[in-house]
């Protein structure tokens, strides 16, 4: 049984009594409901009340919305829930992970590029100060993965880099910052560790292939650091770790190997026994194929709890999933002891947050503070500081290119290169203007004649959309004499905008081959600056780039900083890439 008086809960006798009394007063349905994190599909009051009154959910994560929308949603939930709720957010990069008008402080990779651990602390403090203002009390952060494989499609910019010691220091600092907000807790992810595989557990199996010794010295060291610091929760990933699974169960066959979310060996053995974690464990999202491909969903739900996980993310269909979980308890697949253990950890976490001491109408912070905190100037100032220190001049072979001024390079052609991947859900929330359009406007304001490159492919698409027959000569015969090409612009700025995570493929998409303008074949013809505004591994596909910069995001303030540094010169760049931007390839350094 969980020791609720010990780390990370530190409950008093009175607190423990509340946990015990609450569990004793629960019906079977109420107990089963506590095991679920719902992914809220609506903010309608009727729906919200139904989730807590009929399904008795233990926690919720929700779809994006403004601070006012999220506050009102959380108020309805907390005021109508018999047992106070865990309300989670994804504040990996800032308060925008709690509400859409929150402050994006900076991705973890961008923070790491500053080399300043205090900014990781500020990320934890400021982003979760905004989250707490709208009623959240748990962050699905810090991301504690280590990026060893540049082709990993999940982690991208969600890591403090490829040095385990830096990851440990900065995740610990994030946790400290988050804890500055009273009652606020964290769930580190994705145990047992992502960043090695080239596959994405959203769409396939994923494996951490390290030996036990390698794991101990890397991911194990990071998780042990956080556990010692008082980490309250761990998110188990849909990631297998064969070495430790077989260490705890030598008879385990390949067919029996399960991701951490379904592995007794990894949860009860590695996390609980070896690392001594006493806090709550929750699954990663249950729609990911790295989990759903392992067994029938009706079996998967109780199997996760039976393996040692305490809370399950998320419902597929509420009635069906609830029935499957309840049946798993009634037929003994979830033992009484395992259910009691999970309930004690869930409620102990809520007591640790101080929620049990508040009446239903007192579980939310004062509403008048919301707009004093969300997106405030103090937080935006830190955002700019981080950009100023993070933007990184990764490669600089042509020492004469910088600084870039209107006197030296009046005409700048901006080539905008997007990713090869499907746009996904992010496309619905994309900005109206592309980063290239914003950059053009900012450069023109500085006195440059900046313009966007239009590829022959785009022109042909426009012709087709207008009902015209596309002019194939644009593709097959549209070559410009090199002399004319050089005369048309003084410098070319190639902006590569590839999402740094959640994509099966994170590579640039070039519309034309064999000399299309979007591919910088012309690096010896004109000065060329290539900028990666998200994904920091652009050199793998554009190794010929002789001046290459990583900005880690394309926020307005970041583009302002980029222009300032370009116009100042080499000495203005202070960032250091926390990952191998050269991708382990010799030709990227040439």
């Amino acid at each position: 049984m969980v020791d609720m008086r010990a780390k990370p809960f530190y409950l008093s006798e009175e607190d423990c009594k509340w946990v015990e009394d609450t569990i004793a007063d629960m019906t079977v349905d109420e107990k089963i409901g506590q095991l679920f994190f719902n992914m809220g599909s609506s903010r309608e009051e009727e729906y919200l009340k139904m989730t807590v009154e009929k399904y008795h959910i233990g926690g919720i994560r929700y779809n994006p919305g403004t601070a006012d929308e999220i506050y009102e949603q959380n108020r309805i939930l907390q005021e109508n829930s018999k047992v106070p709720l865990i309300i989670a957010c994804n504040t990996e990069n800032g308060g925008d992970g709690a509400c859409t008008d929150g402050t994006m402080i900076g991705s973890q990779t961008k923070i790491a590029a500053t080399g300043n651990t205090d900014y990781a602390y500020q990320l934890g403090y400021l982003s979760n100060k905004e989250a707490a203002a709208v009623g959240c009390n748990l962050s699905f952060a810090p991301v504690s993965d280590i990026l060893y494989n540049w082709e990993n499609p999940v982690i991208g910019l969600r890591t403090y880099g490829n040095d385990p010691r830096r990851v440990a220091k900065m995740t610990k600092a994030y946790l400290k910052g988050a804890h500055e907000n009273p009652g606020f807790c964290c769930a580190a992810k994705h145990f047992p560790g992502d960043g090695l595989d080239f596959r994405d557990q959203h769409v396939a199996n994923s494996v951490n292939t390290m030996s036990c010794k390698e794991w101990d010295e890397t991911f194990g060291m990071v998780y042990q650091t956080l556990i010692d610091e008082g980490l309250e929760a761990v998110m188990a990933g849909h990631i297998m770790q064969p070495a430790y699974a077989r260490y705890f169960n030598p008879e385990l066959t390949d067919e029996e190997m399960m991701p951490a979310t379904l592995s007794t060996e990894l949860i009860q053995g590695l996390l609980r026994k070896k690392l001594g974690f006493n806090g709550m464990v929750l699954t990663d999202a249950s729609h990911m194929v790295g989990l759903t491909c392992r067994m029938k969903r009706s079996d998967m739900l109780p199997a996760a709890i039976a393996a040692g996980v305490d809370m399950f993310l998320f419902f597929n269909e509420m009635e069906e999933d609830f029935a499957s979980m309840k049946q798993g308890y009634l037929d003994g697949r979830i033992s009484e002891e395992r259910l009691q253990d999970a309930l004690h950890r869930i409620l102990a976490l809520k007591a640790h947050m101080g929620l049990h001491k508040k009446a239903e109408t007192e579980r939310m912070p004062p509403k008048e503070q919301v707009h004093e905190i969300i997106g405030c100037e103090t937080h935006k100032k830190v955002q700019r500081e981080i950009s100023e220190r993070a933007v990184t001049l990764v490669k600089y072979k042509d020492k004469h290119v910088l600084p870039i001024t209107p006197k030296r390079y009046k005409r700048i052609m901006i080539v905008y290169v997007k990713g090869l991947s499907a746009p996904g859900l992010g496309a619905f929330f994309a900005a109206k203007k592309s980063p290239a359009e914003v950059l053009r406007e900012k450069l023109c304001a500085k006195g440059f004649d900046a313009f966007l490159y239009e590829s022959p492919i785009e022109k042909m698409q426009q012709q087709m959309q207008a009902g015209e027959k596309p002019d194939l000569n644009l593709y097959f015969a549209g070559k410009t004499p090199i002399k004319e090409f050089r005369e048309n612009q003084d410098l070319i700025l190639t902006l590569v905008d590839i999402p740094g995570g959640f994509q099966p493929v994170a590579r640039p998409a070039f519309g034309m081959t064999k000399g299309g303008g979007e591919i910088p074949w012309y690096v010896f013809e004109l000065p060329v600056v290539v900028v990666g505004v998200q994904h920091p591994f652009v050199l793998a596909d554009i190794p010929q780039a002789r001046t290459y910069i990583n900005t880690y995001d394309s926020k307005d303030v970041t583009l302002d900083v980029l222009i300032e540094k370009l116009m100042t010169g080499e000495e203005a760049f202070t960032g250091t890439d926390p990952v191998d931007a050269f991708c382990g390839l010799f030709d990227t350094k040439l």
Side-chain angles (χ1 to χ4, degrees):
M1 186 63 66
V2 57
D3 185 352
M4 296 186 291
R5 296 169 182 80
K7 184 187 293 184
F9 303 120
Y10 300 112
L11 299 191
S12 67
E13 290 294 331
E14 183 183 356
D15 299 332
C16 292
K17 185 177 186 304
W18 175 82
V19 173
E20 299 291 358
D21 290 348
T22 302
I23 294 173
D25 190 46
M26 284 181 175
T27 65
V28 170
D29 280 4
E30 289 172 337
K31 291 177 181 178
I32 296 302
Q34 285 296 302
L35 305 177
F36 283 100
F37 247 95
N38 183 38
M39 182 64 188
S41 59
S42 169
R43 274 186 276 275
E44 294 294 325
E45 185 167 355
E46 183 180 0
Y47 167 82
L48 296 172
K49 287 182 177 179
M50 178 271 294
T51 64
V52 294
E53 292 171 357
K54 181 177 180 181
Y55 292 105
H56 320 289
I57 59 172
I60 185 171
R61 173 76 180 98
Y62 50 85
N63 287 319
T66 65
D68 287 335
E69 290 171 333
I70 302 306
Y71 184 96
E72 181 62 12
Q73 163 202 276
N74 294 345
R75 181 194 65 78
I76 294 169
L77 286 165
Q78 291 288 32
E79 288 185 2
N80 289 279
S81 183
K82 179 180 176 181
V83 179
L85 287 166
I86 300 171
I87 301 180
C89 52
N90 261 344
T91 46
E92 299 175 12
N93 304 326
D96 58 338
C99 55
T100 53
D101 41 352
T103 310
M104 195 278 200
I105 304 296
S107 70
Q108 292 189 182
T109 304
K110 186 175 184 178
I111 299 291
T114 69
N116 189 341
T117 304
D118 183 61
Y119 284 128
Y121 171 89
Q122 292 295 334
L123 176 63
Y125 172 56
L126 299 178
S127 61
N128 295 310
K129 183 177 182 181
E130 293 193 353
V134 294
C136 297
N137 47 37
L138 178 73
S139 173
F140 290 164
V143 179
S144 305
D145 299 309
I146 309 168
L147 190 63
Y148 289 109
N149 183 353
W150 72 270
E151 293 185 282
N152 181 280
V154 178
I155 302 308
L157 294 162
R158 307 166 70 206
T159 174
Y160 289 113
N162 55 11
D163 180 350
R165 291 168 296 179
R166 186 198 307 117
V167 173
K169 284 172 58 179
M170 290 198 163
T171 51
K172 178 181 177 179
Y174 179 100
L175 183 63
K176 281 187 173 182
H179 285 168
E180 288 295 318
N181 300 289
F184 205 91
C185 298
C186 288
K189 59 188 181 187
H190 307 83
F191 180 84
D194 204 345
L196 286 82
D197 207 336
F198 64 88
R199 292 175 298 183
D200 177 355
Q201 57 265 32
H202 292 81
V203 296
N205 288 321
S206 185
V207 185
N208 181 309
T209 55
M210 284 184 167
S211 68
C212 293
K213 183 176 185 296
E214 290 171 330
W215 192 90
D216 288 346
E217 294 170 351
T218 55
F219 293 97
M221 182 268 292
V222 171
Y223 276 99
Q224 191 67 71
T225 298
L226 292 172
I227 291 167
D228 291 346
E229 186 61 30
L231 176 70
E232 294 90 355
V234 167
M235 179 182 284
H238 312 311
I239 304 168
M240 292 180 270
Q241 216 297 322
Y244 258 117
R246 289 201 169 95
Y247 174 86
F248 286 103
N249 184 359
E251 305 303 318
L252 199 67
T253 66
D254 287 348
E255 290 76 14
E256 294 169 327
M257 192 69 63
M258 291 290 166
T261 30
L262 296 170
S263 173
T264 302
E265 294 82 9
L266 298 181
I267 302 300
Q268 303 284 36
L270 180 55
L271 183 58
R272 295 264 186 235
K273 184 177 180 181
K274 182 174 176 61
L275 297 183
F277 182 61
N278 187 47
M280 190 187 78
V281 180
L282 54 151
T283 73
D284 204 343
S286 62
H287 295 91
M288 295 161 66
V289 180
L291 178 64
T292 59
C293 70
R294 304 307 297 166
M295 61 182 67
K296 292 192 300 182
R297 187 171 182 89
S298 58
D299 293 330
M300 182 181 75
L301 280 99
I305 304 301
V309 172
D310 304 307
M311 295 193 78
F312 189 89
L313 279 66
F314 301 106
F315 289 106
N316 178 53
E317 196 281 326
M318 297 185 80
E319 185 172 355
E320 183 179 61
D321 278 359
F322 191 94
S324 294
M325 188 73 83
K326 183 177 179 180
Q327 184 59 43
Y329 167 66
L330 294 175
D331 65 23
R333 283 175 291 168
I334 299 175
S335 68
E336 181 63 33
E337 181 182 10
R338 178 76 272 276
L339 177 63
Q340 288 294 321
D341 184 62
L343 291 171
H344 279 78
R345 293 184 197 278
I346 296 164
L347 269 68
L349 180 57
K350 295 179 180 185
H352 174 72
M353 292 173 171
L355 295 172
H356 65 308
K357 295 180 180 179
K358 299 177 180 179
E360 288 88 342
T361 55
E362 298 173 344
R363 293 171 184 169
M364 292 289 291
K367 188 172 184 179
E368 58 268 21
Q369 294 182 7
V370 171
H371 293 291
E372 296 175 7
I373 296 172
I374 301 297
C376 68
E377 289 304 314
T378 300
H379 298 185
K380 290 178 180 178
K381 181 180 178 182
V382 175
Q383 179 195 49
R384 181 178 177 87
E385 283 181 15
I386 290 168
S387 290
E388 289 171 345
R389 288 162 174 76
V391 174
T392 305
L393 181 61
V394 177
K395 183 179 179 182
Y396 190 41
K397 300 289 286 189
D398 295 332
K399 298 293 184 179
H400 63 279
V401 173
L402 301 177
I404 293 172
T405 64
K407 185 176 181 180
R408 296 186 71 199
Y409 310 108
K410 183 69 172 177
R411 298 163 302 172
I412 297 180
M413 180 169 76
I414 301 173
V415 180
Y416 187 46
V417 179
K418 292 178 282 189
L420 187 64
S421 304
L425 187 62
F428 293 102
F429 305 103
K432 293 179 180 178
K433 291 183 180 179
S434 73
E437 292 172 310
V438 174
L439 186 64
R440 182 193 66 79
E441 292 174 359
K442 291 179 180 293
L443 286 170
C444 289
K446 295 289 185 180
F448 295 94
D449 290 337
F451 60 96
L452 299 181
Y453 166 78
E454 186 178 18
S455 77
I457 299 295
E458 290 173 339
K459 292 178 182 178
M460 291 167 64
Q461 288 174 339
Q462 290 170 4
Q463 290 172 343
M464 293 176 67
Q465 290 170 357
E468 302 170 7
K469 183 178 179 180
D471 182 2
L472 297 180
N473 287 327
L474 289 171
Y475 186 88
F476 293 108
K479 302 298 180 184
T480 304
I482 300 299
K483 181 176 181 296
E484 182 180 332
F485 180 79
R486 287 200 301 264
E487 291 173 348
N488 285 340
Q489 49 265 322
D490 303 314
L491 178 140
I492 297 173
L493 205 160
T494 302
L495 207 65
V496 187
D497 186 12
I498 306 171
F502 297 115
Q503 297 290 339
V505 182
R507 308 293 284 273
F510 299 117
M512 288 183 68
T513 58
K514 300 179 181 178
E518 54 268 70
I519 306 174
W521 53 267
Y522 34 74
V523 292
F524 289 104
E525 304 292 345
L526 281 168
V528 179
V529 177
V530 179
V531 181
V533 295
Q534 291 197 70
H535 184 65
F537 301 112
V538 173
L539 285 173
D541 291 287
I542 311 179
Q544 71 271 27
R546 300 181 63 76
T547 301
Y548 174 63
I549 296 166
N550 274 331
T551 67
Y552 312 102
D553 65 58
S554 57
K555 297 292 184 183
D556 254 29
V557 64
T558 305
L559 295 180
D560 285 336
V561 167
L562 171 65
I563 292 172
E564 289 172 11
K565 292 181 182 295
L566 288 172
M567 295 183 70
T568 302
E570 179 183 6
E571 67 277 9
F573 291 86
T574 56
T576 303
D577 255 319
V579 294
D580 178 16
F582 295 100
C583 307
L585 304 169
F586 85 93
D587 61 321
T588 55
K589 297 182 180 181
L590 298 180

